Amino acid sequence: MARISSKNKAIQIQTILDDLFPNPQIPLVHKDPYTLLIAVLLSAQCTDLRVNKITPELFKLADNPFDMMQIPVDVIQEIIKPCGLSGAKSKAISNLSKILVNEYNGMVPDGFEQLEALPGVGHKTASVVMCQAFGHPAFRVDTHIHRLARRWGLSNGKNVIQTEFDLKKIFLPEVWNKIHLQMIYYGRLYCPARSHNLENCKICQLYNPTNKN
């Protein structure tokens, strides 16, 4: 059997994902770039479901950087404690809110360099904000997408940085924003790290029939 190229494999995977998730929505509840930024920051080492349970209380108290910078850090920390890493996250939320007010007139900057310079904001968080809030092509690769890309033979990268580079080469920029969400949803429903059932996973039936990784 001839070996299928990565690009042809990507096209077939994209077809499956488009059929299952034609219009994927970001799972974090938000109303604007600022609330999205805070929600993504909170999602580090925490489930989206838990973040969505916490943010209504937080945003009721302050849903913009002007109000958030006035809230004591310990109050923020108490609210977000269920998300984990509450000490570091509460300080980051407070400090980045002050920076947004003092340097950007309260607006979330529309650029990777500016976003990644904010406290608590790394490349993955910046990627989500850039693509979901501002519509710029970005491919956020977290540990889950990294796992799927290796399982499906789209990348042999040893870390998320290399996997992001590989995926950006085989998928067109105009689908990056959509497909990273599709991969997240597919992985949760059909291709989990544990208790993976090959009979339910169309993609692994095609590209990982031995159920490795």
Side-chain angles (χ1 to χ4, degrees):
M1 181 182 294
R3 182 179 179 182
I4 186 171
S5 70
S6 293
K7 285 191 177 293
N8 285 335
K9 183 185 295 184
I11 291 172
Q12 294 179 8
I13 289 174
Q14 186 178 335
T15 299
I16 293 172
L17 295 177
D18 281 341
D19 182 56
L20 292 170
F21 310 103
N23 186 32
Q25 301 298 310
I26 185 167
L28 293 169
V29 177
H30 66 286
K31 67 175 185 177
D32 56 21
Y34 177 74
T35 52
L36 175 62
L37 174 62
I38 300 303
V40 179
L41 187 155
L42 289 173
S43 71
Q45 298 185 36
C46 180
T47 65
D48 294 338
L49 181 62
R50 181 169 296 175
V51 172
N52 288 338
K53 290 181 178 179
I54 299 305
T55 49
E57 182 180 356
L58 179 63
F59 294 152
K60 183 177 180 180
L61 195 64
D63 63 357
N64 63 82
F66 295 95
D67 291 338
M68 191 71 77
M69 66 183 287
Q70 305 297 328
I71 307 299
V73 172
D74 60 338
V75 174
I76 299 173
Q77 182 175 358
E78 185 62 28
I79 294 173
I80 69 172
K81 188 174 292 185
C83 289
L85 305 175
S86 60
K89 290 178 180 179
S90 58
K91 291 176 183 177
I93 290 171
S94 179
N95 290 333
L96 75 80
S97 296
K98 294 172 183 176
I99 292 172
L100 293 180
V101 169
N102 295 328
E103 298 184 15
Y104 299 101
N105 297 315
M107 304 296 291
V108 175
D110 183 0
F112 273 107
E113 185 176 352
Q114 296 93 330
L115 284 169
E116 291 179 24
L118 294 172
V121 179
H123 181 67
K124 288 186 290 185
T125 298
S127 294
V128 174
V129 174
M130 286 293 285
C131 69
Q132 301 301 332
F134 300 120
H136 296 298
F139 206 134
R140 181 201 181 198
V141 175
D142 58 12
T143 55
H144 302 293
I145 291 182
H146 173 65
R147 172 180 60 82
L148 293 174
R150 288 179 60 85
R151 180 177 277 182
W152 299 343
L154 296 175
S155 172
N156 61 2
K158 299 185 184 303
N159 53 57
V160 295
I161 296 174
Q162 181 60 47
T163 300
E164 178 179 335
F165 178 80
D166 291 340
L167 292 177
K168 284 182 173 179
K169 285 198 304 182
I170 60 178
F171 289 105
L172 296 174
E174 52 263 36
V175 305
W176 290 351
N177 299 358
K178 182 179 182 180
I179 205 162
H180 99 268
L181 289 174
Q182 291 173 321
M183 289 180 70
I184 289 171
Y185 284 121
Y186 186 91
R188 289 177 181 174
L189 290 174
Y190 304 108
C191 200
R194 299 177 182 178
S195 302
H196 177 262
N197 186 343
L198 186 62
E199 293 182 1
N200 295 333
C201 184
K202 294 181 180 180
I203 295 177
C204 282
Q205 287 175 21
L206 291 172
Y207 305 122
N208 188 12
T210 57
N211 198 19
K212 295 179 180 180
N213 298 323

